[in-house]
Amino acid sequence: MNKKKIVLAEDNSTLSLLLKFRLEKEGYELFVATDGKQAVDLIESMSPDLILSDIMMPFVSGLEVISHLRNKLNLNTPIIVFSSAGQEEMVLKAFNLGANDFMGKPFSPNELVIRIKRLLGT
Amino acid sequence: MDTSSVKIILQILHYLFFGYAFASILSYIILSFISSKETIEYIKKRSFVNYKDILSSTISPSITIIAPAYNESLNIVENVRSLLSNHYVNYNVVIVNDGSKDDSLERLIKAYDLEKVHYIVNEKIATKPLRAGIFKSKNPAFEKLMVVDKENGGKADALNMGLNISTSKYVACIDVDCLLLEDALQKMIKPFLEVTDSKVIAAGGVIRIANSCEIRGGKLIDVNLPKNVLVQSQILEYLRAFLLGRMAWSRLNGLLVISGAFGIFDKEIAIAVGGYDTNTVGEDMEIIVRMRRYMEEKGEKYRVSYIPDPLCWTEAPDSYKVFISQRNRWTRGTIETLRKHRKIGFNPKYGWFGLVSYPYWLIFERLAPIFEAIGLIYFIILIVLQEVRWDFAISFFLLAYLFSVVFSIIALYSEELTFHQYKKKGTGFKLVLLSAIEPFVLHPFVLYAAIRGNYDYYFNKKKKWGNMVRKGLVNN
Amino acid sequence: MVDYQYIYDYYSNAPHLIQWVWWVSAILATGIVVLAICLKFIRSSLRRKSNEAAKFKTEYEALLIEYLYSGDESGKLTEPQKLIVSKIKDSIKTGFKRKLIVSVLYNLRNEVSGEMSDSIKTFYYETGLIHFAFERLKSKKWNIIAKGIGELRCFGIDEASHAIAPFINHPKSEVRSETHLYMVNLFLFEGLSFLDDLKVSLSEWIQIQLLETLQKFDNQEICDIRPWLNSKNDSVVLFALKLAQIYNQFEVKETLMDLLSHDNKEVRIKTIDVLAHLYGIEAKEMLKANFNELSLEEQISFFKLLEKLVAPDDEPFIEAYLFHKNFEIQLLALKILKEINFDKYIGLTKSSNDNKSLAMVKAVKVL
C-alpha cells in the first residue's frame, strides 16, 4: 500500500517534530517545511495528498500558500490551517481562499489526526 | 600688526582647536558610556518580551506603511511583497507612485490584481494631485495593499499624500527599496504602547547595509560582509552611528533624526505640524525637529524613541561618486533644518532640546567638517611657512587616529554582544582591520562631500537632488 | 643604542603636554591590540555557543517528544519516561542547558492542548525545573524576577500566586506586566482583581496582552466590571471600557452614561465608542443636546455613533452639519443623510454652491 503524503509547513521546530512523529506512526509520509516558501516548493515537487500549514510563517504566509495552490496550481488538495488566538479574521480569509479546515492553537494532536483521517477518507 | 599680536591670535586659534578636539572626543566618550548603559537595559528588556499576542491582536493599534516610489519598476513588485509579509494584523501598505515615468504602476497592477477604487482623500496637507488614481487588489490575499498614483512632487510630497490617505493611528514611513524584516512593525510599535508617563511621537529604526547579503523573495537569508571597501567602511560607520550615537541620544531623549528609510510616527502629530516639508532635501530630519518643537511649544511631555534591532536593510552606494552626492545631500539637509529652526538653539524655553541636542548637532555635526577643513588649511600654511613642529603634529594626529579606531572597535563590541549579525568566521578580523583603515578610505570623502554640501548650499542653490543609481537588492 | 638614547632625550625635553599625548597614544595602541584579541575570543565563543545550542536543541526536542509518546494511561511515569527525566535532571545543572530546555518546553506548551500539555507540565515538575523558577523570584535583579514570573505563567504553576502577588505594583513596568499576565493567565477574570489595588498606569501594551489572554478562553463568565469603570485610575477605566465592548456588557450602560462627563477626554471618547457598540440610544439624545460643548474628537465619535443608531427624526440635526468644516464630520453627515433620505441627498448636488463641497457630495454618492 502506498503511504499517503502530507506536507507540513510550520516554523516551530518542536511542534513540527512532534506532529511528524505522531503522523508517521499513523502511517503517513511527512515532508516538513519551516516556511511558506519551502512549503510551496515541497507541494510542487511532492504533490502531497494533504497539506497542513500555519497561517503566520516567515515570508510566504499560509494564506499565500493556499492562494498559490488553489489559483496558480489549480489543485484541490485538502488543506488544514493552524491559527493562533486572535487570528479569526485570517481564518475567515483562509476559508475564502479555499482552506478545508482549521485548528486553533493550542490544539491536541489527537484531534488533528481525526480531522486528517476524515479529510483523507481513511 | 606687530608680530606679538599675530602670535596671540595664533595662540588663541590653537587653544580653540584643542578645545574643540578635546570636547568632541569627550562627547564621544560620554556618549559611548551612555549607549552601553542603554544597550544593556534594552537587551534585558528584550529578552522576555512576548510579541506574539500583539501581532495577532485585532485591537492592537492600526499602522499604515507609507512607501513613496519613483521609477522603481525594477524591484517594486518584490519589494511590495516583502512589505506585505509583515507579522502584524492591523496594518496596511500604501505605495505612493510619485509620478514615475517607468512602468511601475502597470507592473503593480498586473502582479497584484489591482483595480481602481473610489476613495475620498482628506487633504489635510496640500499635495500634488492624483494622476491615475487609487488602486486596491481584487485578491483577498493582498487586501492590505493600496497603490496611489499621483503627479510627481518629490519624496516629501509623496509621503504627505500617504499621510492624507492613511486612516491609521500610526504611520511607518519607509523607502520602498528597503527590506523590512517581518517583525519590524511589532517591535517598532512597542514604545508607543508601552510608555505611560509621556507621549511617544515618533520611533526610529536602525538602517543596516544589505549590499552582498543574500536576499531571496524579499527575505533576508544570509548576512555577508561586502568586498567593496567603501561599502565595508559604511557598515562600520553605520554601526558607530546607530549603536553608539543614536542609542545614547535616545536615552537622553535628544534624537534629532529618524532615518528617512524607516521610522514610525504618531499620525495626528505629524499632520498637526503640517507633514513633511517639501522645500528641503533633509525632510526626514526636519519633520522630527518640527514635531519636537511643536511638543515643546505645547508644553507636553514627549519622547522620540529608538529601536536598535536590525529591522531595515538597504543598499548603500558602492561608488565614490554616488556616495559623495548622497552625503552632499545629507549635509545640505542638516544645514537647512538647523537654519530653519535656529530659534531653538541655545534657547532655554526649549529645555534640554534647545540647550543640548540642538547645540550638539550644530557644533559637532554641522560644524565639524568646517573646523576640520580650516584646521587642514592652517596646517598646510604652516607647512609652507616651514613652521610645523613635526613631533607635535605627528603625536596629535596619532592620538586622534587612535581614538577613532578605539571608538570603531567599541562599536564592534556593541554589535557582537547584542545583535551579532556578521557571524562568519574571519569577518571579525576584517572588521578590526577596517577600523584601522576606515579613517583613510572613508573619512576624507565624507569630509569632501560635506564641504561640497556647504559650498552647494551657499553658492549653488540650483542643486537639488543627488542621484542614487540603484542596482537592486534582488539577486535571485 | 644610539636610537634609544635619542628617543629618551627627545622625550625628556618635550613639553609636558606632548609627553602626555605620547603616553595616551601608547596606552590606546595597546588597548586596541588587547580589544582586538578579546573580540576574536568573544566571536569564536559566540559561534561555538550557537552551534552547541543548535545541537542540544535538537537533542532535547527529540528527548521531549520521546517522553511525551512513551506515557501511558495511568498518569504515572513509565520506565522510559523516568530515564529521560533523570537524563534531563543532569543537564539542568548548567544554566545554559537549562535555558535551552525551558525554551523547548515553552515552544511546545503554547501550541498543544489537552493531555499533551499536562504532560509537559508534569515534566516541568519532575525534572525540578520549577525550583529554579521559584528561586528567580527571590533575585534582586528585576529582569530575573520578570523571567521567573513569565516561566511560572507559561507552565501554569498556580501555587506561585502568593509569591508573585507582591509584584503587582513593582516599580519596573516589565515585572508588573509579567505579574498581571500571570494573574490573568491562571485565574482569568478572577485574576483581574489586581486592578482593584493598581496604583500605577496600565500601559496599552499590557492591556492588549491581557485582553488577548482572556479571549483565549471561551465561555468565561465575566465578573462585574462596574468597580473598574468607576476606578480613580484612568487607565483602569479605559481597560474596563474595552472589556465592556468586547464582552457586550449591556448591563453597565448606566455607568457608561455617567462616564460621558468624566474628567478625562480620552475616557469620554472611548465611552462614546463603546455606547455606539452597545446601541446606547439614550446616549444619542443626551449627546445631541450637548453637541456644541463637546470637543472635536468627541463630536467625531458621536457622529460615528449616529451612523450606527440613526433614526429618521435625526435628519434636521444632521442637516446642520452637511457643510461642517471638519472633513470627518462632514463625510459622516453626508453618508448618514444619503442613508436616510436619498432624495434630499440628490437635491444637494444642485443646491450646494462651493466647489469643494460639491465634489465631496458627488464623491460620497458613488461610495
Side-chain angles (χ1 to χ4, degrees), chain A residues 18-59:
Chain A
L18 181 90
L19 296 179
K20 186 170 187 280
F21 265 59
R22 183 77 173 86
L23 295 173
E24 280 176 349
K25 238 199 223 164
E26 295 291 330
Y28 299 110
E29 192 177 359
L30 260 280
F31 302 94
V32 179
T34 53
D35 63 46
K37 196 106 186 159
Q38 280 182 28
V40 169
D41 294 344
L42 276 178
I43 291 167
E44 285 179 8
S45 59
M46 295 297 161
S47 46
D49 302 285
L50 181 101
I51 296 157
L52 304 171
S53 171
D54 196 11
I55 287 192
M56 280 278 198
M57 271 185 303
F59 187 46

Side-chain angles (χ1 to χ4, degrees), chain B residues 354-381:
Chain B
L355 294 177
V356 180
S357 313
Y358 185 100
Y360 180 87
W361 265 85
L362 180 69
I363 296 170
F364 295 111
E365 300 281 342
R366 158 79 186 87
L367 293 177
I370 310 260
F371 270 105
E372 201 176 338
I374 295 173
L376 277 177
I377 293 167
Y378 178 61
F379 186 60
I380 291 166
I381 294 172

